[in-house]
Amino acid sequence: MSASGSLESEYITLVSSEGLEFVVLRDAACASPAIRAMLDPKSSFAEARSGRCVFEDFTGVVLEKIVEYFHYWYKNQGREDVPDMEIPVELCLELLMAADFLGLDKPM
């Protein structure tokens, strides 16, 4: 239950520019400071009420890799000797821009 007294879902939905929807564990997606701020129940963002974040600038392929990273981060946080995550070379630039937008370019 949130501080405002309403129930928050354990999962949220991230939507790409093509309308592809990815259901993600809220705690995993909150690795992103930007998403965490959007979902903050004290904010006036529509995303906080709906649990749905639409990213018009992210293609489905890029958003899928971001979702994969959220789960990778969540599963491996606090662990040592974590294997590298596979990133296709052709997505590197788009993923860097998305990481910057989402605040994932800073240490946690």
Side-chain angles (χ1 to χ4, degrees):
M1 196 177 283
S2 73
S4 65
S6 65
L7 290 174
E8 289 180 355
S9 173
E10 185 179 358
Y11 294 91
I12 62 162
T13 303
L14 304 180
V15 184
S16 73
S17 58
E18 305 98 337
L20 294 172
E21 296 185 359
F22 299 88
V23 177
V24 184
L25 188 64
R26 179 183 292 266
D27 290 342
C30 284
S32 162
I35 292 177
R36 189 170 42 247
M38 284 188 240
L39 297 174
D40 184 348
K42 296 176 198 132
S43 76
S44 59
F45 293 122
E47 292 86 353
R49 291 187 303 277
S50 69
R52 182 179 172 88
C53 303
V54 178
F55 295 101
E56 293 293 333
D57 294 331
F58 298 168
T59 64
V61 173
V62 170
L63 191 54
E64 179 179 29
K65 201 56 146 171
I66 291 166
V67 168
E68 183 182 330
Y69 171 75
F70 288 155
H71 288 286
Y72 171 86
W73 171 84
Y74 185 76
K75 177 180 145 193
N76 293 301
Q77 61 183 332
R79 293 178 59 194
E80 293 183 24
D81 298 324
V82 176
D84 290 337
M85 187 175 147
E86 293 293 322
I87 306 222
V89 174
E90 61 273 10
L91 290 181
C92 285
L93 181 58
E94 288 179 271
L95 286 171
L96 281 171
M97 292 188 303
D100 180 58
F101 176 82
L102 293 171
L104 297 171
D105 57 335
K106 296 159 188 67
M108 304 218 185

